Amino acid sequence: MFALLVLNSVAWGIADIILSGGFYDPILQLCDYSQNDLTGYGTVLADIACDLTATVIVILSVAQDITMGSNLAWGLLVRNGENDLSTFGSHFLMTMRKFLAPH
């Protein structure tokens, strides 16, 4: 199942590369990037699904071996939780920024 989520994320990423793009304006001397709305959301949501699934897998795997004296297991849980929260938070903020931006 996780392999399907990863393939889904890769497919959204490829579609995003193909459908989004940028250009350079030599007069204003700046670059502009145009994000495709559908692939932008699809890529972020697919990444969130992968991150959440990986977190659940780690928690279930480590929870079987965890004991009160197992510093390694607790360390894995804490680091994975921190990583997942920061990843989810950044994805959520990027999605909401795009969603709430004036069109």
Side-chain angles (χ1 to χ4, degrees):
M1 179 181 150
F2 189 68
L4 290 176
L5 286 173
V6 171
L7 287 174
N8 180 47
S9 183
V10 169
W12 277 109
I14 291 170
D16 191 44
I17 290 170
I18 293 169
L19 298 174
S20 298
F23 68 92
Y24 178 73
D25 186 342
I27 297 171
L28 297 176
Q29 295 185 349
L30 58 86
C31 293
D32 191 21
Y33 182 74
S34 177
Q35 175 75 54
N36 181 279
D37 287 337
L38 178 63
T39 60
Y41 289 122
T43 302
V44 170
L45 293 175
D47 286 346
I48 289 172
C50 285
D51 292 338
L52 291 177
T53 303
T55 298
V56 169
I57 290 170
V58 167
I59 289 171
L60 292 177
S61 298
V62 173
Q64 294 173 356
D65 298 328
I66 202 164
T67 63
M68 294 308 283
S70 177
N71 291 335
L72 176 62
W74 278 109
L76 285 172
L77 283 176
V78 169
R79 285 183 184 245
N80 189 270
E82 290 170 349
N83 181 45
D84 194 55
L85 282 174
S86 65
T87 302
F88 177 75
S90 66
H91 282 157
F92 179 77
L93 289 174
M94 288 187 317
T95 304
M96 292 311 297
R97 188 178 124 196
K98 178 77 173 164
F99 181 73
L100 296 175
H103 292 89

